[in-house]
Amino acid sequence: MAVFQSGLLVLTTPLASLAPRLAPILTSAARLVNDTLYVHLQPGMSLEGPAQPQSTPVQATFEVLDFITHLYAGADVHRHLDVRILLTNIRTKSTFLPPLPTSVQNLAHPPEVVLTDFQTLDGSQYNPVKQQLVRYATSCYSCCPRLASVLLYPDYETGEVPVEPLDVPLPSTIRPASPVARSPKQSVRGYYRGAVGGTFDRLHNAHKVLLSVACVLAQEQLVVGVADKDLLKSKLLPELLQPYTERVEHLSEFLVDVKPSLTFDVIPLLDPYGPAGSDPSLEFLVVSEETYRGGMAVNRFRLENDLEELALYQIQLLKDLRHMENEEDKVSSSSFRQRMLGNLLRPPYERPELPPSLYVIGLTGISGSGKSSIAQRLKGLGAFIIDSDHLGHRAYAPGGPAYQPVVEAFGTDILHKDGIINRKVLGSRVFGNKKQLKILTDIMWPIIAKLAREEMDRAVTEGKRVCVIDAAMLLEAGWQNLVHEVWTVVIPETEAIRRIVERDGLSDAAAQSRLQSQMSGQQLVEQSHVVLSTLWEPHITQRQVEKAWALLQKRLPKTHQALN
């Protein structure tokens, strides 16, 4: 059967009966759609009979909100799918709602196939029902001109109509701040304006639950705060965060898709309170279990500034059943960033000027990042290692190509009594002094690059096919032309300082000064093809390196694979 980029799934079974069947339905849909799957809730709708089916309002109850949460939680098994539950026909009990839209809604990814769980009596792909399904879909949403249709029957064989389970309430996932117990059938109150906030990096299903609940509650405007600048510093692997503009772009597309009748005000969140702490027109705030205390702090801040408290709605965290040992057990952007480690982030450079049988990796990272340990792990997997520090020692040695130029530039007081260059004295002279550092690098970098090329020739003669240049200043020196790919090792600056102090016996200030003389981890990552980190236990670092190496073998040019 054909696989489509985007599709629309129309769910017609009552929600309580549908809940236990969701997993096979989503699995069936995932086999047919490989990109964006829109889900339209229309419980009780019939696709039989001559009359054109019409979209009807669905009363927003806590059962509906719970169902939305469970649907997104179930969809997390199929991570290739970008699932979006359309909320246009879900209405709160408020009286100020606009009528259901009569025009066709334009979706960001026009569906190529429409699917439904509607059951025909004999379980067949009954053509008139499929025609009704297509007519219904095209009357509500923008669709491709030649829309395909499929009836999904994932849990029973042809000719067997399933017995619907008893009405069993879904587990509660939404908790209003009010201590009053809520029932599943209880209607959800609507508000004119509300707020929700987060980092929204690599928009995932837990984000979508948070945003969807906020969209159901808001009837006129939703303010969405997107964390930026100082609020990102404490994030895990901040170097791999999507840029603010990219996060906002994906977020805005999702919001307009799921509820185009709302006005969205997406703004940078620069402090813990944001507009929720100061905007008197806001009425509610949606938080997660993790950020509930932050929501309480916002309300205390509002009261201190003579503003009314916001109604808080707390969303249960989605569990990540496939998390690794070093990842959080919830669906989390930080886990997604961890899974990027070792992956190819951008296409490699073409380097026809390099030896044709040698594939060269440039390994870099800030001081203390652990790149030397990564280099040794790569050596264990078969790579030829060129250590730029060792090349520097050779260049500095008496009789070496850099010895005389460096002594002439910095004077004989940088020498030990035996005439060897004292690198600590030289380092103290140049670190923190841009002018002096440039004099040194103008001497050293071309010399080390020449020595590296000689080492590459040696790697070829030894029959090596992958070569790694271990160089902290790889990008600053402009050595990209020596490599096919740049691999960067990242570590939080605080951890790097701790390691430098422990390893080199420097003060915190001296260690920080050393880091300030280098490109930041963020700047390095922006020019990198692969990112690794030594933040966790050694066996996790080893697993990262093995993953990166295995992926490298798959993309090596065939000439390299044949010889490797």
Side-chain angles (χ1 to χ4, degrees), residues 53-75:
Q54 298 294 318
S55 183
T56 55
V58 174
Q59 181 66 43
T61 61
F62 283 102
E63 178 189 42
V64 170
L65 296 186
D66 289 334
F67 182 82
I68 289 171
T69 302
H70 285 286
L71 198 156
Y72 276 124

Side-chain angles (χ1 to χ4, degrees), residues 100-119:
L100 280 173
T102 55
S103 59
V104 177
Q105 180 182 340
N106 291 310
L107 299 172
H109 307 274
E112 299 171 353
V113 60
V114 57
L115 313 103
T116 184
D117 65 333
F118 184 79
Q119 299 169 4

Side-chain angles (χ1 to χ4, degrees), residues 7-11 15 18 22 26 36-43 58 63-76 81-90 105 107 141 170 203-216 253-260 264 318:
L8 172 66
L9 173 59
V10 180
L11 296 175
L15 302 185
L18 178 58
L22 257 183
L26 284 170
T36 308
L37 179 66
Y38 294 102
V39 181
H40 179 57
L41 303 182
Q42 199 57 272
V58 174
E63 178 189 42
V64 170
L65 296 186
D66 289 334
F67 182 82
I68 289 171
T69 302
H70 285 286
L71 198 156
Y72 276 124
D76 205 57
L81 270 185
D82 177 5
V83 175
R84 305 181 182 195
I85 302 172
L86 300 167
L87 307 172
T88 307
N89 66 322
I90 298 177
Q105 180 182 340
L107 299 172
Y141 302 103
L170 289 164
L203 198 68
H204 54 63
N205 288 320
H207 291 143
K208 292 175 184 178
V209 172
L210 200 71
L211 294 165
S212 295
V213 171
C215 284
V216 169
E253 182 193 282
F254 173 81
L255 291 170
V256 172
D257 255 355
V258 300
K259 194 166 181 180
F264 298 104
L318 295 194

Side-chain angles (χ1 to χ4, degrees), residues 326-342:
N326 59 315
E327 297 174 351
E328 296 178 288
D329 63 356
K330 62 172 184 173
V331 175
S332 161
S333 297
S334 62
S335 294
F336 291 175
R337 292 194 294 277
Q338 284 175 254
R339 291 167 199 164
M340 291 173 63
L341 296 172

Side-chain angles (χ1 to χ4, degrees), residues 138-409:
T138 52
S139 69
C140 295
Y141 302 103
S142 58
C143 298
C144 293
R146 302 173 77 99
L147 186 66
S149 60
V150 178
L151 310 184
L152 298 176
Y153 303 101
D155 59 354
Y156 66 102
E157 298 296 328
T158 301
E160 298 177 12
V161 178
V163 177
E164 298 292 356
L166 297 174
D167 253 18
V168 179
L170 289 164
S172 174
T173 60
I174 315 297
R175 183 183 302 169
S178 167
V180 178
R182 42 146 277 204
S183 66
K185 302 295 183 184
Q186 180 183 334
S187 295
V188 174
R189 178 188 167 183
Y191 302 83
Y192 279 107
R193 297 176 185 85
V196 65
T199 307
F200 301 115
D201 180 47
R202 291 172 177 82
L203 198 68
H204 54 63
N205 288 320
H207 291 143
K208 292 175 184 178
V209 172
L210 200 71
L211 294 165
S212 295
V213 171
C215 284
V216 169
L217 296 172
Q219 307 307 309
E220 185 175 293
Q221 184 183 46
L222 182 65
V223 177
V224 185
V226 180
D228 197 21
K229 296 184 179 177
D230 286 352
L231 291 188
L232 303 179
K233 289 181 178 178
S234 62
K235 299 295 179 184
L236 182 69
L237 300 171
E239 300 89 351
L240 291 174
L241 278 163
Q242 291 174 314
Y244 174 82
T245 52
E246 191 174 334
R247 286 181 282 136
V248 167
E249 180 184 352
H250 295 161
L251 176 66
S252 300
E253 182 193 282
F254 173 81
L255 291 170
V256 172
D257 255 355
V258 300
K259 194 166 181 180
S261 61
L262 278 183
T263 299
F264 298 104
D265 188 10
V266 182
I267 61 172
L269 198 57
L270 304 176
D271 65 76
Y273 299 115
S278 56
D279 188 340
S281 71
L282 295 178
E283 300 168 275
F284 73 85
L285 177 64
V286 178
V287 296
S288 70
E289 290 177 89
E290 206 171 51
T291 58
Y292 180 70
R293 287 185 179 180
M296 297 289 287
V298 165
N299 270 341
R300 288 194 297 271
F301 185 77
R302 287 178 70 91
L303 289 173
E304 289 168 4
N305 289 276
D306 299 321
L307 296 176
E308 289 189 13
E309 287 185 292
L310 301 174
L312 294 182
Y313 286 80
Q314 179 184 334
I315 311 299
Q316 184 176 307
L317 296 171
L318 295 194
K319 295 297 181 183
D320 185 349
L321 301 179
R322 295 187 292 173
H323 70 279
M324 303 288 284
E325 63 177 295
N326 59 315
E327 297 174 351
E328 296 178 288
D329 63 356
K330 62 172 184 173
V331 175
S332 161
S333 297
S334 62
S335 294
F336 291 175
R337 292 194 294 277
Q338 284 175 254
R339 291 167 199 164
M340 291 173 63
L341 296 172
N343 291 347
L344 185 69
L345 303 181
R346 51 182 56 87
Y349 299 130
E350 291 186 11
R351 294 290 184 235
E353 70 276 17
L354 293 180
S357 61
L358 192 67
Y359 199 82
V360 186
I361 304 298
L363 181 64
T364 191
I366 63 173
S367 184
S369 62
K371 63 180 179 56
S372 295
S373 72
I374 297 284
Q376 288 307 303
R377 295 174 191 279
L378 289 168
K379 182 178 180 180
L381 293 171
F384 183 92
I385 306 299
I386 300 173
D387 187 329
S388 63
D389 272 351
H390 289 172
L391 297 183
H393 281 292
R394 276 173 50 191
Y396 280 125
Y403 182 84
Q404 196 58 39
V406 169
V407 172
E408 288 177 2

